[in-house]
Amino acid sequence: MAAAAARCPGGRWALCLCLCAALLPRPARGLTDRLYCGRRVCYEVLGVSRQASKAEIARAYRQLARQYHPDRYRGEPAGGEGDEGGGAQAAHEKFLLIAAAYETLKDEETRKDYDYMLDHPEEYYRHYYHYYSRRLAPKVDVTIVILVTVCAISVFQFFSWWSSYNEAINYLASVPKYRIQATEIAKQQGLLNKTKEKGKNRRSKEEIREEEEEIIKDIIKNKIDIKGGYQKPKIYDILLFQILLAPFYWCKYIVWYCWWIYCFTIKGQEYGVEEKLYIIRRYMKMSQSQFDSLEDHQKETFLERQLWIRENYEVYKREQEEELKKKMAMDPRWKRYRRWMKNEGPGRLTFIDD
């Protein structure tokens, strides 16, 4: 402090100015071992100026790389600096420094950050952030990764739905009720008679059985409307199409909501059948596919009891809960479970044989 005061005559203000000047980092101090070329200036490493073009930088890199590449190094190159000698190890370190300088200056954005660091060495943390954010940034475009992931999920989703749908068809084909009906329809359409051909086109019983099975399954597919989780998959229900069609669905919902407010809130119109069923479905917290899977007589019961009115729905909900409690009380399985919970319980370990 005294030495600084001796060098800064003129009072306290001059002393403060001198101290500030001494504490401010100089451009050389902005260079650190962990960023870019360390404490060496990348331009000086390649022997080019800051105004050098990309072609000049690439030319300088190729020349130095040929001299200091470990596979081609055969001793101290002519004109080499004394502090850069030391044999193959020094040449290897020199080559790494040259490569780091070239990687820094060949990219426009990285070179811009490096030039900014040379001009503003005091912004220490900013330089660290930009340097490591570029080094740790993913090399592949994130958009491509997201697109590939969505496509993979969509393909898996579609084939999974097809598998569930085929399982439902195979199950219905094994149920006598649906199998007999499908067989009768096939006989009426003359599909089963075509499978029993004679002469040269005669086939084995196994082939005929397989073809008849396919005919029955096709009739079940066409005649039975499977709903819920086992319904026939549709291409626009997969994730990819849902994302692509999301703006359309949002616009459609906004238009519908404005129409609903205008018709039933402002004008006070009475609800139609579709509107009543929509309100009931919202009260029941069911999705559209779940609500569509209900039987028609259930929906008619909802309308007869006027469940679109909140008070009526609350009464209906309490009745359903009471009915469920009665069923559970009369169910032998629930009786055994309650008896077990009362006598034994889950926390007791016994060796009593059932």
Side-chain angles (χ1 to χ4, degrees):
M1 181 72 71
R7 290 196 301 268
C8 299
R12 295 181 179 179
W13 290 106
L15 176 61
C16 293
L17 291 176
C18 290
L19 288 174
C20 292
L23 293 176
L24 285 176
R26 299 175 183 176
R29 295 181 183 178
L31 303 176
T32 62
D33 295 331
R34 300 178 183 178
L35 302 183
Y36 304 106
C37 299
R39 297 190 178 276
R40 296 287 303 275
V41 179
C42 294
Y43 293 102
E44 296 178 357
V45 172
L46 296 180
V48 296
S49 63
R50 290 186 59 174
Q51 292 74 31
S53 62
K54 294 181 66 174
E56 294 174 347
I57 293 173
R59 190 183 310 114
Y61 167 72
R62 286 194 296 268
Q63 293 176 356
L64 293 173
R66 283 195 296 266
Q67 293 179 4
Y68 291 97
H69 195 280
D71 296 337
R72 305 185 62 178
Y73 180 73
R74 295 295 182 270
E76 182 67 17
E81 298 178 1
D83 59 348
E84 296 295 339
Q89 181 64 27
H92 178 70
E93 296 177 358
K94 177 69 174 180
F95 177 77
L96 294 179
L97 182 61
I98 294 169
Y102 179 67
E103 290 294 327
T104 301
L105 301 180
K106 73 174 184 178
D107 183 71
E108 291 293 337
E109 296 298 325
T110 307
R111 183 179 180 181
K112 187 184 299 183
D113 291 339
Y114 182 70
D115 290 341
Y116 187 86
M117 187 186 75
L118 295 179
D119 296 333
H120 305 82
E122 69 279 0
E123 300 182 19
Y124 185 78
Y125 296 104
R126 180 185 184 278
H127 305 322
Y128 259 90
Y129 169 75
H130 281 277
Y131 177 77
Y132 284 105
S133 63
R134 292 192 183 278
R135 287 180 63 88
L136 300 178
K139 303 300 181 181
V140 182
D141 190 0
V142 179
T143 306
I144 298 176
V145 175
I146 295 175
L147 181 61
V148 172
T149 304
V150 170
C151 291
I153 294 175
S154 301
V155 171
F156 174 80
Q157 187 180 32
F158 185 75
F159 283 102
S160 177
W161 284 350
W162 263 112
S163 177
S164 300
Y165 176 70
N166 290 329
E167 289 179 4
I169 295 298
N170 293 334
Y171 171 75
L172 294 175
S174 64
V175 177
K177 173 184 175 181
Y178 301 111
R179 188 176 185 85
I180 292 173
Q181 294 179 3
T183 304
E184 292 297 329
I185 294 174
K187 289 180 179 179
Q188 294 175 4
Q189 297 178 357
L191 299 176
L192 295 181
N193 297 330
K194 295 181 180 180
T195 61
K196 301 178 180 179
E197 299 175 349
K198 298 181 180 180
K200 296 181 179 180
N201 297 327
R202 186 175 181 179
R203 292 167 294 172
S204 64
K205 293 182 179 180
E206 186 67 26
E207 293 176 346
I208 294 174
R209 190 180 301 109
E210 291 178 358
E211 187 172 348
E212 289 179 352
E213 191 71 19
E214 292 298 326
I215 292 173
I216 292 174
K217 290 181 180 179
D218 290 338
I219 293 175
I220 292 176
K221 290 179 182 179
N222 297 327
K223 297 298 182 180
I224 296 181
D225 184 17
I226 302 177
K227 298 179 180 179
Y230 293 92
Q231 65 183 356
K232 187 176 182 179
K234 299 176 182 178
I235 192 67
Y236 53 81
D237 287 337
I238 64 176
L239 179 62
L240 178 61
F241 280 87
Q242 290 294 311
I243 294 176
L244 295 176
L245 296 175
F248 169 74
Y249 290 144
W250 275 106
C251 294
K252 184 178 178 181
Y253 175 78
I254 292 173
V255 172
W256 173 86
Y257 186 76
C258 294
W259 170 82
W260 182 281
I261 295 296
Y262 174 75
C263 292
F264 303 113
T265 303
I266 298 177
K267 297 183 66 176
Q269 296 181 4
E270 294 185 358
Y271 296 126
V273 176
E274 295 295 331
E275 288 76 23
K276 293 176 181 177
L277 292 176
Y278 169 76
I279 297 175
I280 294 171
R281 180 175 69 82
R282 293 295 300 272
Y283 285 162
M284 293 183 174
K285 298 179 180 180
M286 299 175 65
S287 63
Q288 186 65 51
S289 60
Q290 291 174 331
F291 194 77
D292 292 339
S293 62
L294 298 177
E295 300 293 338
D296 292 337
H297 67 86
Q298 292 180 289
K299 298 178 182 178
E300 292 175 359
T301 302
F302 298 158
L303 295 174
E304 291 174 359
R305 299 196 57 173
Q306 299 182 352
L307 297 187
W308 67 88
I309 301 175
R310 188 72 185 187
E311 293 76 10
N312 296 342
Y313 174 74
E314 294 295 337
V315 174
Y316 172 81
K317 183 179 179 181
R318 288 194 294 268
E319 292 177 357
Q320 293 297 313
E321 292 175 353
E322 292 295 330
E323 185 177 353
L324 180 60
K325 291 180 181 179
K326 291 179 181 179
K327 288 182 179 180
M328 293 173 61
M330 299 302 296
D331 191 348
R333 292 175 298 179
W334 280 100
K335 288 183 178 179
R336 290 196 298 269
Y337 175 74
R338 289 196 300 272
R339 187 164 54 249
W340 174 77
M341 290 292 294
K342 180 179 179 181
N343 298 331
E344 307 293 340
R348 181 180 175 184
L349 180 64
T350 63
F351 295 93
I352 301 175
D353 296 332
D354 292 337

